[in-house]
Amino acid sequence: MTRDALLNQKGGVAKTTTTLHLGGTLAAAGRKTLLVDMDGQGNLTDALKVPRLEPGGELTLARAMLDGCDRDQARSLVRRHSENLWVIPSSLDLFTLPRQLHSTRSKEERLDWVLELLGDDFDHCLVDCRPALDVDTDNILRWAEHVLIPVDVDEFSLKALELLLGQVQTLVAETRMPMPHYRGLVINRIARPFSGFHAKVYDALHHLPLPVVGEIPLRTVVAEAKNKGQTIAQYEPKSDVARMFRDLAVKAGYLPETPAA
Ligand SMILES: Nc1ncnc2c1ncn2[C@@H]1O[C@H](COP(=O)(O)OP(=O)(O)OP(=O)(O)O)[C@@H](O)[C@H]1O
Ligand SMILES: [Mg+2]
């Protein structure tokens, strides 16, 4: 199973949207794909129209991270959305998870303990992060083998990236975890034509040490798919956005290049 974090502490840069539609693209290509909603806001869970897990009533991911769990319990967290696509839904106790993790031992390793139990069940696992750099995102980084960074064309994206890359380096140095591999940047919510200022930011994003592996325009079909609880690959597979997510999946190294027809 590939282990991917979709991470950026900057809010609203389409982390959730990219997780959903990249995941849908991989599922449509026949890959068994698990999405994990690590954000208490539950936007990914809601977009898939899957019920949230109820703290107290059933095991939640946060509870499993705090108490530990066995393979059957880890599997009980997973809900099926559609063919080849599963999700571990959000739950409200994710909001208090960082505070609770701070008083545990091995506090950055807890997600790894749970998700490694599911490693044989899926081809890909994509984790949608909340917009933060805290002990819960440290858990995701510790678990992840790859990091894909959604960004938008905004001057603060450049600053946010600097902070994010610094945080990863600090974590690697402090915990001696292996350095995750950066798949690259996905520039999302692109609205053309650009103003002169946005053109400069767009250009700067292409001149960073990380490759740009995807470019997704702002489109109403994205909101429509979400309202239907579908991925773009299911809702409008012939749309330009669906094609761009397929291009992303190839360029970022998830799917092989298909020979031109
Ligand atoms: N390509 C797109 N076209 C149109 N709308 C989009 C596109 N990508 C994202 N959006 C919309 O932009 C908003 C922010 O996207 P999203 O929720 O995916 O960002 P996020 O980074 O996950 O936010 P947060 O930091 O709050 O978790 C959402 O309403 C989403 O539907
Ligand atoms: Mg989100």
Side-chain angles (χ1 to χ4, degrees):
M1 175 170 90
T2 64
R3 305 192 304 268
D4 272 70
L6 281 89
L7 178 66
N8 191 338
Q9 76 282 4
K10 186 172 189 287
V13 294
K15 293 179 286 297
T16 301
T17 304
T18 307
T19 307
L20 174 66
H21 298 311
L22 175 60
T25 302
L26 297 176
R31 304 288 181 86
K32 287 184 180 172
T33 304
L34 174 66
L35 310 181
V36 181
D37 191 346
M38 277 286 286
D39 186 344
Q41 293 181 100
N43 293 341
L44 177 65
T45 303
D46 291 351
L48 290 164
K49 295 204 187 301
V50 169
R52 297 179 191 211
L53 298 174
E54 290 295 335
E58 58 195 336
L59 186 66
T60 62
L61 178 57
R63 203 65 258 156
M65 286 171 67
L66 291 167
D67 296 348
C69 69
D70 61 25
R71 192 178 303 269
D72 285 344
Q73 287 172 314
R75 284 182 172 155
S76 78
L77 298 168
V78 178
R79 301 286 180 270
R80 185 171 185 272
H81 172 264
S82 50
E83 193 179 1
N84 292 329
L85 192 62
W86 288 263
V87 61
I88 296 183
S90 173
S91 52
L92 286 177
D93 52 359
L94 285 167
F95 283 119
T96 50
L97 177 66
R99 202 163 2 112
Q100 289 175 296
L101 279 173
H102 274 298
S103 53
T104 61
R105 274 183 303 114
S106 313
K107 61 179 188 294
E108 297 99 5
E109 294 172 30
R110 302 296 178 117
L111 183 67
D112 208 358
W113 294 355
V114 179
L115 293 186
E116 76 171 359
L117 297 168
L118 300 172
D120 297 337
D121 297 353
F122 304 97
D123 299 313
H124 302 285
C125 180
L126 309 178
V127 175
D128 180 25
C129 303
R130 73 186 176 105
L133 291 174
D134 200 340
V135 62
D136 55 338
T137 40
D138 286 353
N139 263 270
I140 299 168
L141 282 166
R142 173 86 196 215
W143 161 83
E145 186 183 5
H146 302 283
V147 177
L148 183 64
I149 309 178
V151 293
D152 58 357
V153 184
D154 179 284
E155 61 175 317
F156 296 121
S157 278
L158 298 166
K159 189 78 207 155
L161 276 172
E162 207 179 297
L163 204 70
L164 169 57
L165 301 184
Q167 169 79 2
V168 174
Q169 278 198 329
T170 307
L171 195 67
V172 167
E174 280 176 0
T175 67
R176 287 187 300 220
M177 69 173 212
M179 185 74 184
H181 166 256
Y182 293 106
R183 288 195 192 264
L185 306 177
V186 187
I187 309 178
N188 216 313
R189 300 169 49 89
I190 296 176
R192 288 196 166 90
F194 290 135
S195 66
F197 175 71
H198 284 110
K200 272 192 191 148
V201 176
Y202 177 80
D203 194 49
L205 288 170
H206 282 85
H207 286 90
L208 294 170
L210 299 174
V212 173
V213 286
E215 301 200 30
I216 314 288
L218 200 66
R219 291 280 190 272
T220 48
V221 71
V222 172
E224 288 168 11
K226 186 165 77 172
N227 288 339
K228 290 269 185 208
Q230 292 183 341
T231 70
I232 200 77
Q234 293 165 333
Y235 180 70
E236 205 62 84
K238 295 209 164 85
S239 62
D240 65 345
V241 181
R243 178 173 48 77
M244 286 164 189
F245 275 103
R246 283 195 297 274
D247 290 347
L248 164 65
V250 172
K251 216 166 167 189
Y254 299 95
L255 295 180
E257 199 117 20
T258 45

